[in-house]
Amino acid sequence: MAQDSLLSDELLRHLMAVGQVDILVGVPTLDNASTIGGVVRAVHQAFATYFPRDRAVLVNSDGGSRDGTPGLVKDYSLDEAGTVTVSHSLRTMHRISAPYHGLPGKGSALRQILTAADLVQARAVAVLDADVASVTPERVAALIRPVKDHQFDYVAPVYARHPLDGPLVTQLVRPLIRGAYGWQVREPLAAEFGCSGRFLSHCLEQDIWESDVAKYGIDLWVTGAALSAGFRCCEAPLGPRVTTAAHARLGFQDVFQQVVGAAFLVLEQHAPYWLPRQQSEPLALVGTPTSEAGEPPTVDASRLTQTFCSDLQNLQSVLEPILSANTLSRLNAIAEGDCGQLRYPDDLWVRTVWEFLAAFHRGVMRRDHITQALIPLYLGRTGSFLIQYAQAAPADVEAALEAVGLEFERSKPSLVECWNQASPR
Amino acid sequence: MNALPAAGASLPDPLWYKDAVIYQLHVKTFADSNGDGIGDFKGLTAKLDYLHDLGVTCLWLLPMYPSPFRDDGYDIADYCTIHPSYGTLDDFRAFLDGAHARGLRVVTELVLNHTSDQHAWFKQARSSRDNPRRDWYVWSESDDRYAGVRIIFLDTERSNWAWDPESKSYYWHRFFSHQPDLNYDNPAVRDEMWNVMKFWLELGVDGFRVDAVPYLIEREHTSCENLPETHEVIRFLRAKLNEHFTGRMLLAEANQPPELVRPYFGEGDEFHMAFHFPLMTRMFMALRLEDRKPLVEIVERTPEIPETCQWGIFLRNHDELTLEMVTDIEREYMYEEYARDPTSRINLGIRRRLAPLLDGDRRRIELMNGILMSMPGSPIIYYGDEIGMGDNIYLGDRNGVRTPMQWSGGWNAGFSSADPERLAQPLISNALYGYQAINVESQKRADHSLLNWMRRLIAVRTSSRVFSRGSTTFLKPANHRVLAYLRTLGAEQVLIVCNLSSSAQAVELDLGRLAGALPIEMFGKSLFPRIGELPYILTLGPYDFFWFKLRRL
């Protein structure tokens, strides 16, 4: 076998044996020994309970785990999943574990899974996050059913969580995607999704698999690809998302830079689609949302705002080429007040993000410096929001988040103007 | 020709049924000798050479007794004679002699559970509550005894009790209301049934297919199925059989999962054989799913049976393809895949013959027969399926699979010289399966006809006892579309590899423990590459199958 082959001979042999399938569930892994058993069990129970007549396969694409994850996938006893007594799959349930080749990272794992799905002509694919300890058969089914039963091409998850949870998503990525693409996707960064054979073929045809997007931002790219290429997209409620502590492999700064860098790259790639779009539409919701909202996060908001105030002073020279004079001046003004009671208004935050995006596009400096410079501003905005809504009812927080989304939509023309004037790096 | 010893003489192998290839037929629709439109024993006798030439070794006759025919003869009105339409007892004796002279065993029907309501016993029983026969049936003043017991013929019956206006009480019936159940708690009934058996055994019959076995006894707060007392009745009859005869066989019809059928073999002191109903259903399921799982699962779930016992395995028979003992999901799947037209559904099953079930696809018909003939058990072929006969789902009940045998493309398919309007059942005459297209005469003339292929298949099957008596080990290659198993008897081994899929398949078989063996394909005697330590790679076309004899040369 050539070392650079996308699929190893062994994986090909397995896929040949599996043949054409209706459903493929892919699970990228890296040192997930503590959770993989639960994921495999949930997948098999989903096959047996919800898709007993369908041809189905689980494909684990492993990034070189040293904790025995692939072995656990291969050796998992079906008897353990055999607690499903009433329902019962009519067919052989296949399970494959294979290491991926190519660039390290989630992108290569996903590419292998999608390539395998393409090869076995899977009609519906679900990609799961092996870090999630709360995978259930119902969650697996929720990602597959919209594709299989309602002919959707892409299914984004909706997690039941407190509206103050996940500020990187709620303050930045969600409203950014909404404002740009014109689609309301609650979890555009999610590592779990469902998709059709048609959509995965489209993904595989795109020239991104060797790029930084594939390495750091493949989840967001998949969302953007679905939104921007006219595929039928929907959302599916999955319930709460519980991850293991071992999940936190990277520090916050690295995560932030990877996410924001990838988001800006993806937006740049899909600019021809989103630049002319106005306002936004919600995605269809397929499934029944749960009422669970989760607990609010315990974050020291004042520490975030203090960081904002101190770093803003130090970053003036970096921010000047990125932000307009007006925006920078307003930021400086709010930092001069009581940082413990910082108020970072919606319109200023949206303007900040749009201007960072335009600067990224223009290439005013090294792109990683641009994303790095956004960190203290993001912390300030997050801290400000938490201070303002820490005691608010979840519905009020949701309303405030909706207002942020609307502000991104409302102010989009200024971004478009700025974008069109700029020449890319 | 391997003639059998005369009736009553000791037979060469008392376990003959373990190696049998059984042919199931209905005298009424097989061959009519006197032109009255109804098949008869003289007609059947004239066809014995055909059956011998086909290679089957045992004939199983559907009920041939006097009957009002409200359940195709399973409503017996007299156990100890032949229905006059089929001939006389002398005609039957001549048929029996002819069959034995050709080495063919004969198995007849024994309907233990119930009689027709036209049977003299029932007429007497209902005539008065004081009649000595009264207690030969199961009576009640109310219809709430044995509450909760399932109704088998859901399409026609609303209760297991029927009102008898004559004696003004209810009688118990597990099947049609015109088939009252006999009361096996009454020793006189057991004794009389043994007398019925003895009558036919003394004539030379080689065995009985015993109908509706699980339902002989009723007890409150039970399902009234498979009760210990039912086994007592069976053991009583078997002990009598052993006491008076050798080399005779009892075959149980118990439509139950294999683990519930297993007790009917007892410790070798109840039935010699029992049908394996779920295997049949799972074979059809596996074929449509293109996945060996259902089939492997049911064989592996099948318990061991005593050395002297054997399973009776089949693809189709005179009844519906039963879906009683499958899960709801499985039944829904089978209906959708094999019975889209609701007319083809009856009770909890599908009233179709083999060929129409498989869309007349010769490759699938061959594959299914290939699997049947290589599975553990004695295979049973339903008359007409060896030529791919069709059915008529628009006839009532299950009569659509009981139409006249198609011998030729001529008058009445060569079945009868009567006017077509007089025939016991109408002929199949559609363009696909009509007798002009599907018949014995034309298939005899074509070397590659289904009939001649079946002859070769049966010949290979009967060439070795490894198929009938060998152990079975599934190989389970990664490709689930490929069914592969080893049959082993002593030093003899046969490897069977079947492609359940409609597309070509490659398979890697782990045959390391057979390294050095030389596979010889059993139909064409072709040599295949010697088995080594590495996975043995085979490619199979759509629905292909191989039987390899493994030789150490």
Side-chain angles (χ1 to χ4, degrees):
Chain A
M1 185 206 69
Q3 198 55 41
D4 56 354
S5 294
L6 202 56
L7 304 180
S8 68
D9 284 356
E10 192 187 349
L11 177 55
L12 276 173
R13 280 174 52 233
H14 282 300
L15 294 174
M16 187 177 75
V18 170
Q20 197 174 342
V21 300
D22 301 302
I23 296 166
L24 181 145
V25 173
V27 187
T29 53
L30 178 62
D31 295 329
N32 293 107
S34 63
T35 52
I36 194 67
V39 174
V40 174
R41 184 184 311 117
V43 171
H44 278 293
Q45 290 187 349
F47 288 166
T49 308
Y50 299 108
F51 310 103
R53 291 168 53 164
D54 292 293
R55 297 165 294 181
V57 59
L58 185 160
V59 176
N60 164 229
S61 184
D62 189 72
S65 294
R66 283 182 278 189
D67 64 353
T69 299
L72 291 170
V73 174
K74 287 178 190 164
D75 300 337
Y76 181 78
S77 164
L78 277 186
D79 290 342
E80 292 176 52
T83 47
V84 184
T85 50
V86 179
S87 18
H88 171 100
S89 175
L90 301 185
R91 298 179 183 275
T92 302
M93 291 192 282
H94 288 279
R95 195 168 60 236
I96 301 171
S97 179
Y100 64 75
H101 302 279
L103 288 176
K106 171 82 181 291
S108 294
L110 188 62
R111 187 183 192 186
Q112 186 181 57
I113 287 168
L114 297 185
T115 305
D118 198 34
L119 208 59
V120 295
Q121 300 168 63
R123 287 170 50 215
V125 174
V127 176
L128 304 182
D129 183 353
D131 284 330
V132 175
S134 52
V135 177
T136 62
E138 290 70 32
R139 288 170 74 115
V140 179
L143 290 173
I144 293 169
R145 277 184 169 149
V147 179
K148 196 172 166 292
D149 300 342
H150 304 285
Q151 289 74 52
F152 280 100
D153 290 302
Y154 174 74
V155 187
V158 174
Y159 298 118
R161 59 176 174 180
H162 194 280
L164 288 176
D165 187 27
L168 184 54
V169 171
T170 59
Q171 295 296 324
L172 181 50
V173 183
R174 183 191 296 168
L176 175 64
I177 294 298
R178 172 178 173 167
Y181 288 88
W183 292 103
Q184 295 166 28
V185 187
R186 291 185 68 83
E187 302 288 351
L189 275 182
E192 297 173 293
F193 64 91
C195 74
S196 66
R198 198 169 76 93
F199 176 60
L200 72 86
S201 296
H202 166 82
C203 290
L204 290 169
E205 287 165 9
Q206 307 309 304
D207 186 21
I208 55 104
W209 297 102
E210 306 289 338
S211 69
D212 282 352
V213 170
K215 197 170 177 184
Y216 301 120
I218 194 65
D219 300 322
L220 187 60
W221 179 83
V222 168
T223 309
L227 296 174
S228 63
F231 287 96
R232 290 190 72 219
C233 302
C234 72
E235 292 181 310
L238 299 193
R241 181 176 185 272
V242 180
T243 55
T244 54
H247 167 63
R249 295 191 175 96
L250 294 173
F252 165 74
Q253 292 214 356
D254 291 330
V255 170
F256 184 90
Q257 282 200 261
Q258 286 184 9
V259 167
V260 176
F264 286 179
L265 278 172
V266 167
L267 280 164
E268 197 168 42
Q269 191 180 81
H270 296 145
Y273 168 78
W274 59 258
L275 279 170
R277 279 187 63 86
Q278 293 175 352
Q279 299 180 321
S280 75
E281 298 169 53
L283 295 181
L285 187 71
V286 181
T288 311
T290 61
S291 54
E292 300 166 83
E295 292 298 311
T298 51
V299 179
D300 182 357
S302 63
R303 200 165 59 84
L304 303 181
T305 53
Q306 292 293 346
T307 305
F308 165 79
C309 292
S310 58
D311 286 5
L312 189 65
Q313 292 307 311
N314 301 332
L315 286 171
Q316 290 294 311
S317 60
V318 177
L319 293 173
E320 275 170 9
I322 297 173
L323 295 171
S324 66
N326 179 264
T327 303
L328 184 56
S329 150
R330 287 183 65 194
L331 285 171
N332 287 332
I334 63 169
E336 283 167 9
D338 177 4
C339 272
Q341 293 302 314
L342 182 77
R343 286 286 180 276
Y344 193 147
D346 287 353
D347 70 310
L348 180 58
W349 168 239
V350 173
R351 183 139 201 99
T352 307
V353 175
W354 282 147
E355 289 180 8
F356 263 80
L357 174 59
F360 188 91
H361 174 58
R362 290 199 309 273
V364 297
M365 65 181 71
R366 274 183 54 173
R367 287 180 156 184
D368 56 334
H369 288 182
I370 295 173
T371 53
Q372 191 178 6
L374 184 57
I375 292 173
L377 309 189
Y378 161 79
L379 294 177
R381 163 64 188 183
T382 300
S384 157
F385 193 85
L386 287 173
I387 291 165
Q388 197 171 352
Y389 291 98
Q391 304 304 319
D396 294 335
V397 183
E398 287 287 6
L401 293 175
E402 173 64 15
V404 179
L406 286 169
E407 184 60 30
F408 266 91
E409 285 180 30
R410 195 192 61 74
S411 62
K412 182 173 173 182
S414 64
L415 164 71
V416 173
E417 190 180 340
C418 191
W419 186 282
N420 287 336
Q421 285 171 359
S423 56
R425 187 177 60 163
Chain B
M1 214 177 276
N2 301 316
L4 295 175
S10 62
L11 294 169
D13 183 1
L15 302 183
W16 59 269
Y17 50 87
K18 290 196 72 168
D19 307 311
V21 175
I22 301 170
Y23 188 90
Q24 178 193 4
L25 65 91
H26 204 337
V27 177
K28 181 169 74 171
T29 51
F30 203 64
D32 170 22
S33 71
N34 60 1
D36 66 355
I38 302 169
D40 47 46
F41 276 105
K42 282 185 176 164
L44 173 57
T45 306
K47 298 297 184 185
L48 284 172
D49 283 338
Y50 166 78
L51 296 166
H52 178 255
D53 189 46
L54 180 60
V56 298
T57 63
C58 176
L59 307 180
W60 157 26
L61 309 185
L62 290 173
M64 58 202 187
Y65 314 100
S67 163
F69 282 113
R70 296 180 68 189
D71 186 19
D72 206 30
Y74 283 92
D75 45 337
I76 295 172
D78 184 347
Y79 282 91
C80 289
T81 188
I82 299 290
H83 193 289
S85 295
Y86 303 157
T88 63
L89 268 177
D90 283 342
D91 293 339
F92 178 74
R93 283 192 192 95
F95 153 72
L96 205 55
D97 290 346
H100 286 166
R102 290 167 177 80
L104 295 167
R105 313 270 175 173
V106 175
V107 170
T108 60
E109 288 279 348
L110 181 65
V111 183
L112 283 181
N113 182 65
H114 49 261
T115 68
S116 161
D117 60 3
Q118 299 306 304
H119 196 291
W121 300 341
F122 188 69
K123 287 180 179 174
Q124 292 165 33
R126 77 196 314 184
S127 66
S128 134
R129 296 190 179 202
D130 303 327
N131 190 286
R133 298 261 195 237
R134 178 73 178 179
D135 196 35
W136 281 39
Y137 293 87
V138 182
W139 298 96
S140 174
E141 295 307 311
S142 67
D143 63 356
D144 55 3
R145 286 174 68 200
Y146 312 132
V149 171
R150 74 184 175 110
I151 297 163
I152 295 167
F153 286 163
L154 285 166
D155 288 0
T156 51
E157 301 299 328
R158 293 285 168 273
S159 166
N160 287 317
W161 290 104
W163 174 251
D164 174 35
E166 213 170 311
S167 63
K168 298 199 169 25
S169 51
Y170 292 92
Y171 62 88
W172 180 252
H173 63 90
R174 287 307 301 273
F175 295 90
F176 291 116
S177 57
H178 56 76
Q179 291 168 318
D181 277 25
L182 285 162
N183 176 17
Y184 278 91
D185 282 324
N186 184 344
V189 172
R190 303 180 189 199
D191 290 341
E192 187 55 30
M193 269 306 167
W194 165 244
N195 288 334
V196 168
M197 289 170 65
K198 199 162 58 149
F199 172 81
W200 293 106
L201 292 165
E202 284 173 348
L203 274 178
V205 162
D206 297 287
F208 298 103
R209 179 264 191 190
V210 186
D211 187 59
V213 168
Y215 317 104
L216 300 185
I217 297 283
E218 301 75 32
R219 290 289 180 269
E220 205 61 75
H221 309 303
T222 71
S223 64
C224 293
E225 295 181 16
N226 309 316
L227 299 182
E229 294 89 338
T230 292
H231 289 277
E232 277 177 31
V233 176
I234 303 303
R235 280 195 294 273
F236 167 80
L237 295 173
R238 174 66 187 268
K240 289 281 190 187
L241 180 74
N242 287 354
E243 191 182 327
H244 294 90
F245 299 92
T246 55
R248 311 302 173 96
M249 181 271 282
L250 296 178
L251 164 60
E253 188 222 21
N255 184 5
Q256 305 278 333
E259 57 273 19
L260 293 184
V261 176
R262 170 62 187 85
Y264 286 103
F265 293 111
E267 299 307 315
D269 56 354
E270 294 192 27
F271 284 97
H272 301 81
M273 288 184 70
F275 292 116
H276 200 315
F277 280 93
L279 177 67
M280 176 269 299
T281 318
R282 297 297 189 101
M283 284 173 68
F284 282 100
M285 203 181 296
L287 183 71
R288 206 58 138 201
L289 288 165
E290 301 194 353
D291 192 324
R292 64 172 183 262
K293 181 188 172 191
L295 207 160
V296 172
E297 202 173 67
I298 198 67
V299 176
E300 291 189 335
R301 224 181 80 191
T302 300
E304 289 290 320
I305 55 177
E307 187 64 30
T308 55
C309 296
Q310 180 66 298
W311 291 102
I313 57 176
F314 58 98
L315 294 171
R316 291 299 307 113
N317 61 20
H318 61 295
D319 283 330
E320 70 273 24
L321 190 165
T322 177
L323 301 175
E324 262 184 90
M325 294 296 153
V326 301
T327 64
D328 290 347
I329 292 170
E330 290 167 340
R331 188 177 305 116
E332 186 189 335
Y333 180 79
M334 289 293 284
Y335 274 148
E336 281 183 28
E337 296 297 329
Y338 286 107
R340 293 234 166 123
D341 182 345
T343 318
S344 61
R345 303 175 189 181
I346 187 169
N347 301 320
L348 284 179
I350 302 168
R351 49 177 163 189
R352 302 227 65 161
R353 271 185 175 271
L354 178 65
L357 277 169
L358 303 178
D359 303 321
D361 181 346
R362 173 77 181 267
R363 293 176 304 179
R364 276 185 279 169
I365 294 171
E366 289 185 4
L367 173 64
M368 289 290 269
N369 276 297
I371 297 172
L372 178 77
M373 292 283 173
S374 56
M375 277 278 147
S378 293
I380 301 161
I381 301 165
Y382 184 53
Y383 82 94
D385 280 351
E386 76 274 23
I387 57 171
M389 261 176 65
D391 52 36
N392 180 356
I393 57 173
Y394 303 105
L395 295 178
D397 196 9
R398 290 147 293 179
N399 294 323
V401 301
R402 302 168 183 177
T403 58
M405 179 70 179
Q406 297 173 186
W407 295 103
S408 72
W411 185 258
N412 289 337
F415 162 70
S416 170
S417 59
D419 286 339
E421 294 80 4
R422 283 190 71 188
L423 297 184
Q425 294 282 349
L427 289 158
I428 303 294
S429 53
N430 64 53
L432 266 181
Y433 298 106
Y435 62 90
Q436 298 91 340
I438 306 286
N439 63 71
V440 171
E441 189 176 276
S442 60
Q443 292 202 16
K444 267 187 170 175
R445 293 167 57 180
D447 279 352
H448 296 281
S449 66
L450 179 60
L451 174 63
N452 281 321
W453 183 87
M454 286 292 287
R455 286 178 56 238
R456 289 193 289 275
L457 180 74
I458 295 167
V460 177
R461 151 84 195 197
T462 50
S463 69
S464 168
R465 283 187 169 178
V466 74
F467 292 109
S468 51
R469 304 198 186 198
S471 64
T472 308
T473 311
F474 288 103
L475 293 176
K476 301 180 186 172
N479 188 339
H480 63 262
R481 291 161 180 80
V482 175
L483 171 71
Y485 45 108
L486 274 171
R487 303 296 314 275
T488 307
L489 184 68
E492 192 174 359
Q493 276 196 310
V494 171
L495 169 66
I496 293 118
V497 189
C498 311
N499 177 10
L500 300 172
S501 146
S502 58
S503 56
Q505 297 292 321
V507 65
E508 293 182 13
L509 298 171
D510 180 6
L511 299 176
R513 65 203 153 119
L514 301 170
L518 191 65
I520 303 171
E521 200 278 323
M522 294 181 77
F523 292 88
K525 313 288 185 205
S526 307
L527 297 182
F528 272 62
R530 193 183 291 280
I531 295 168
E533 298 291 343
L534 294 174
Y536 197 77
I537 298 175
L538 280 173
T539 53
L540 299 101
Y543 302 121
D544 256 359
F545 70 91
F546 292 123
W547 289 4
F548 293 114
K549 185 163 227 163
L550 302 181
R551 304 275 316 265
R552 297 277 174 184
L553 297 173

